[in-house]
Amino acid sequence: MRGREALIERVESGLSAPGSPGVQVLCGLGGSGKTALALELAYSRLSRAQVWWVDARHGITLEAGLRAVARQAGAAEEELRAGDTADVLWSCLARYRRRWLLVVDNADDPALLDGPGRLSEGTGWIRLPVGGRGGVLVTTRDSTPRTWGGACALHPVRPLTGEDITDAARILRDHAGDAAGSFDDARHLAERLGGLPLALRLAGTYLADANHVPAPYREPDTPVDFHSYRAALDRGLEHVDPDSVIDQTWAMSLKLLEQRGLPLARPLLRLIATFADAPLPYTLLLTPETLADAGELAQLDRRGVWSLLTALAGLGLVDLEPVTGSDALPVLRVHPLVRDASFDHAAPGTAVQALHSAAYAPETGLPDEPDYWEHWALLQPHAMDLFHRVAGSEPPVQMIADAAARAAYFAAHFLVAKGLYRQARGAFAAILAHQRGILGDTHPDTLATRHSLAEVLRDLGEVEQARTEFAAILAHQRGILGDTHPDTLTTRHTLAGVLHDLGEVEQARTEFEAVLAHERVVLGDTHPHTLATRHYLAEVLRDLGEVEQARTEIEAVLAHERVVLGDTHPHTLTARHSLARVLHALGEMEQARTEYETVLDQRRCILGDTHPGTLIARHSLARVLHALGEMEQARTEYETVLDHRRCILGDTHPDTLAVRYDLANLRQPRVVD
């Protein structure tokens, strides 16, 4: 933090002094050290205050982070769903008893901070703290006062030039060591680097690394001190803009690695920079298997990949973040300026191929399997970013575009699995538009995406539109694949479910029975698709009043799924939920209650409190409580489910209307003769 002492003191005063604006904004160009300053200020408070750190580069991670802060500050899940999340957050922070600091890092697009209101008016995600116990620290490239409004104090973070050049020279010596030359030489190099802290770190790290190699083993033109490094910058390098300090320091660091016998460091860094500006799960994406079609990188084995990653990290070109748990995936990050210098503007074919390979690798798992959600949470932003870049290129290379679309298709299914239906709808719609233009309406990939989009429409309550889509897909599949192809049977099964949703129960029964007969022949009695059809047929039988037969069917399905899938698999829990509904219909209320409570506990653990599947179980439990006469507990459950569904699904979704109807019945006074 050399040269930043006065700035740290001003920000500290702004965060602590009575009457000062409680929102302090560190603003300046990339590479100036804003995040490092924020880390220093946060670290100094850890022993005496609660510190929260939220990344603001993407809207999804920003909102998720602030919701987590609200929960830790005391917000109940019901509050977060019932009201405006930003209001709940700041209400909880106002009541929080400990001193606290909220750091919002990388807010380079302040529009994301508007949230439900407007940042500059104090009604967005970031507001003036009240209560005197908290403060907010933001880092951003945007230093425009009108963006932030009067509640924020702006603190420019400038390069260390002019009077601060002495501190810049000291930073160089901190990283490079005394062997790199005199203080005067360090000062001259610091001036040449413009006093930019990131450039100082890269140059100093380079020189420290270069000096570890004995002179007889160095290339003759390798800079090893401040003077020779500055001379190399002044000469410029081929294909490097001499006006860009970061480009030049980046190129010199990579040249050093090439001299060390690591010529693949440059293409690997370019590949890394091609992915999205998000944490990169390198053990999934950068392996010999995923790099098998990556040109010169295909020659790397596991040790070779790791050697390059550690070499890049050693020169500060990437950051290998420490693993925080035994099951957590390791990730790397790249500073935005280094990423810009490394970015390959050619079509990102190698990155797409690596991503496609990772998406289909057995160790990555399927996106609808909860055990692999951490994998897909990290892969999803890269899959969608690469797809949009490839699909938007003119003209797209079909093989690469197809691979990008298939990886994005998996990523969209992860959004469905997490209950993020609106986001999934947008993703599937973009993939479908691309596939229709490139592959045509009847290509199997196009039909698969259209089917997935129709399922999301059904999840969103747009059941008639879903019916139209499934009927059209089925007509194509029957003509191309035939009546008994598994894909045809899957669409017919889903269409039968839509008929059930629409109240056409007898027609749904006919369809399910026909599909089941085919699946038993084509797939066998214990195939998951066959079991799913038996399951939904049992639901139809229950609604038709054939409850004992429904019970027999669903118990048989559940016994198979427990053996094949396990007790906590989502399909097993769905079958167990259906069994509880049958028990409810048979009047076995206490047994139904026990089943619902078990399913609800499991879904909360696996899916979270607000997933649509969790809410279905909670709604069903409320109905049993209602039937058992436990009115107040039933009311609480109904109201909570209603709040969540309104927020997630909207006021007119059939599931929202169903719980409103049940709540109205609960409130209806009984008429006593």
Side-chain angles (χ1 to χ4, degrees):
M1 294 299 104
R2 293 189 184 278
R4 303 303 194 190
E5 296 84 357
L7 176 57
I8 289 174
E9 187 176 339
R10 287 197 300 273
V11 177
E12 282 279 12
S13 176
L15 290 169
S16 307
S20 299
V23 180
Q24 308 297 310
V25 180
L26 295 169
C27 51
L29 76 160
S32 59
K34 302 181 295 295
T35 297
L37 281 164
L39 281 167
E40 179 71 15
L41 289 158
Y43 183 76
S44 69
R45 280 172 153 67
L46 282 178
S47 62
R48 65 182 193 275
Q50 171 66 52
V51 178
W52 293 291
W53 189 285
V54 176
D55 192 322
R57 283 179 293 184
H58 304 286
I60 294 175
T61 54
L62 170 67
E63 183 169 349
L66 291 173
R67 285 179 181 276
V69 172
R71 292 187 193 97
Q72 292 186 28
E77 198 66 39
E78 289 76 9
E79 288 183 279
L80 291 172
R81 292 299 177 188
D84 182 283
T85 305
D87 287 343
V88 173
L89 167 65
W90 289 98
S91 176
C92 289
L93 289 176
R95 300 192 303 268
Y96 198 66
R97 293 184 177 181
R98 289 186 63 194
R99 296 196 64 81
W100 56 268
L101 174 67
L102 172 61
V103 182
V104 181
D105 191 32
N106 290 311
D108 296 331
D109 181 6
L112 296 177
L113 299 181
D114 283 339
R118 186 175 290 277
L119 169 67
S120 60
E121 296 174 0
T123 58
W125 279 117
I126 301 303
R127 302 180 185 179
L128 182 66
V130 295
R133 290 183 294 275
V136 180
L137 181 61
V138 182
T139 72
T140 179
R141 296 189 191 189
D142 192 325
S143 58
T144 309
R146 66 175 178 272
T147 298
W148 300 95
C152 301
L154 301 186
H155 301 277
V157 183
R158 299 184 175 89
L160 297 168
T161 57
E163 294 180 357
D164 296 323
I165 201 65
T166 299
D167 291 305
R170 289 185 177 129
I171 291 173
L172 271 175
R173 289 172 64 87
D174 289 338
H175 288 289
D178 295 338
S182 69
F183 193 86
D184 282 342
D185 286 341
R187 180 196 294 269
H188 291 313
L189 177 55
E191 289 174 342
R192 176 64 178 80
L193 295 170
L196 191 67
L198 175 61
L200 298 171
R201 178 167 74 94
L202 290 175
T205 304
Y206 172 101
L207 291 171
D209 199 75
N211 275 295
H212 279 127
V213 179
Y217 299 103
R218 295 188 205 126
E219 292 294 325
D221 61 344
T222 301
V224 292
D225 56 32
F226 302 124
H227 178 76
S228 57
Y229 193 96
R230 181 187 172 199
L233 288 177
D234 290 338
R235 288 195 302 271
L237 294 168
E238 188 179 2
H239 307 307
V240 175
D241 177 6
D243 295 327
S244 171
V245 167
I246 295 298
D247 280 357
Q248 289 181 283
T249 53
W250 166 87
M252 290 178 65
S253 295
L254 288 175
K255 185 179 179 182
L256 178 63
L257 293 179
E258 289 168 356
Q259 292 172 351
R260 297 274 178 80
L262 297 173
L264 297 182
R266 184 186 300 267
L268 182 62
L269 184 57
R270 287 198 181 280
L271 173 60
I272 291 169
T274 307
F275 290 100
D277 184 14
L280 189 77
Y282 56 87
T283 58
L284 293 180
L285 287 169
L286 304 178
T287 68
E289 292 77 18
T290 61
L291 299 176
D293 297 318
E296 57 190 334
L297 294 175
Q299 64 188 275
L300 292 170
D301 58 13
R302 295 182 185 280
R303 182 176 294 180
V305 175
W306 180 243
S307 295
L308 290 178
L309 289 174
T310 53
L312 290 169
L315 289 177
L317 295 169
V318 302
D319 292 318
L320 299 176
E321 297 195 351
V323 178
T324 55
S326 59
D327 297 328
L329 281 176
V331 298
L332 66 79
R333 291 180 184 269
V334 184
H335 191 283
L337 289 183
V338 176
R339 184 172 181 269
D340 290 346
S342 311
F343 189 76
D344 187 352
H345 292 279
T350 302
V352 169
Q353 289 169 332
L355 177 65
H356 184 269
S357 178
Y360 283 85
E363 57 269 24
T364 301
L366 295 173
D368 57 354
E369 295 280 354
D371 288 346
Y372 297 101
W373 280 354
E374 183 200 0
H375 296 187
W376 283 99
L378 291 166
L379 290 174
Q380 185 266 333
H382 299 290
M384 296 311 303
D385 180 76
L386 285 169
F387 166 71
H388 286 299
R389 272 194 278 152
V390 170
S393 63
E394 288 293 342
V397 179
Q398 183 165 340
M399 184 181 72
I400 298 301
D402 290 348
R406 285 193 292 271
Y409 176 83
F410 270 32
H413 269 285
F414 166 71
L415 297 174
V416 173
K418 293 290 287 182
L420 302 172
Y421 300 140
R422 291 189 178 92
Q423 294 178 37
R425 178 182 189 167
F428 281 129
I431 297 166
L432 180 60
H434 168 75
Q435 289 174 331
R436 278 179 154 157
I438 299 295
L439 304 175
D441 282 341
T442 60
H443 190 280
D445 286 358
T446 307
L447 292 175
T449 303
R450 191 174 180 185
H451 188 281
S452 297
L453 178 57
E455 287 184 316
V456 172
L457 293 174
R458 180 187 178 190
D459 290 331
L460 288 168
E462 300 178 26
V463 188
E464 283 290 357
Q465 189 176 347
R467 177 183 189 165
T468 301
E469 285 296 295
F470 284 127
I473 295 165
L474 183 59
H476 283 305
Q477 289 174 328
R478 278 179 155 154
I480 298 167
L481 304 173
D483 282 343
T484 61
H485 190 280
D487 290 352
T488 307
L489 295 176
T490 296
T491 301
R492 197 171 175 186
H493 166 105
T494 314
L495 182 56
V498 170
L499 294 172
H500 187 198
D501 293 345
L502 291 168
E504 300 177 25
V505 187
E506 283 291 357
Q507 190 176 348
R509 176 182 187 164
T510 301
E511 285 297 294
F512 276 130
E513 287 176 339
V515 170
L516 181 58
H518 286 306
E519 286 177 336
R520 280 181 154 150
V521 173
V522 176
L523 303 173
D525 282 341
T526 59
H527 190 280
H529 290 184
T530 308
L531 294 175
T533 302
R534 286 185 73 182
H535 171 193
Y536 285 103
L537 178 58
E539 294 261 343
V540 170
L541 293 173
R542 185 202 67 226
D543 289 347
L544 288 170
E546 301 177 29
V547 188
E548 284 295 349
Q549 187 179 348
R551 180 178 190 163
T552 301
E553 282 295 292
I554 202 64
E555 285 178 339
V557 169
L558 182 56
H560 282 302
E561 289 186 337
R562 278 179 155 155
V563 171
V564 176
L565 303 174
D567 282 341
T568 60
H569 190 279
H571 293 178
T572 307
L573 293 176
T574 299
R576 198 165 179 182
H577 181 270
S578 294
L579 177 60
R581 294 182 70 182
V582 169
L583 294 170
H584 188 172
L586 289 168
E588 300 179 23
M589 296 300 176
E590 286 296 347
Q591 193 175 347
R593 176 182 187 164
T594 300
E595 288 295 300
Y596 282 137
E597 288 175 340
T598 301
V599 172
L600 179 57
D601 287 344
Q602 292 287 350
R603 284 184 173 170
R604 274 178 159 156
C605 180
I606 297 168
L607 305 176
D609 282 341
T610 61
H611 190 282
T614 307
L615 297 178
I616 288 171
R618 198 166 182 182
H619 185 188
S620 297
L621 177 60
R623 284 173 166 166
V624 167
L625 295 170
H626 186 177
L628 288 168
E630 300 182 24
M631 299 303 183
E632 284 306 316
Q633 191 174 349
R635 181 194 306 277
T636 299
E637 292 297 299
Y638 281 141
E639 289 175 344
T640 302
V641 172
L642 178 59
D643 290 339
H644 288 318
R645 282 183 171 164
R646 276 178 159 156
C647 183
I648 297 167
L649 302 174
D651 284 338
T652 60
H653 190 283
D655 289 354
T656 307
L657 297 176
V659 73
R660 286 183 70 185
Y661 178 83
D662 288 339
L663 186 57
N665 279 341
L666 181 73
R667 291 169 174 166
Q668 184 73 25
R670 294 184 178 180
V671 177
V672 181
D673 292 335

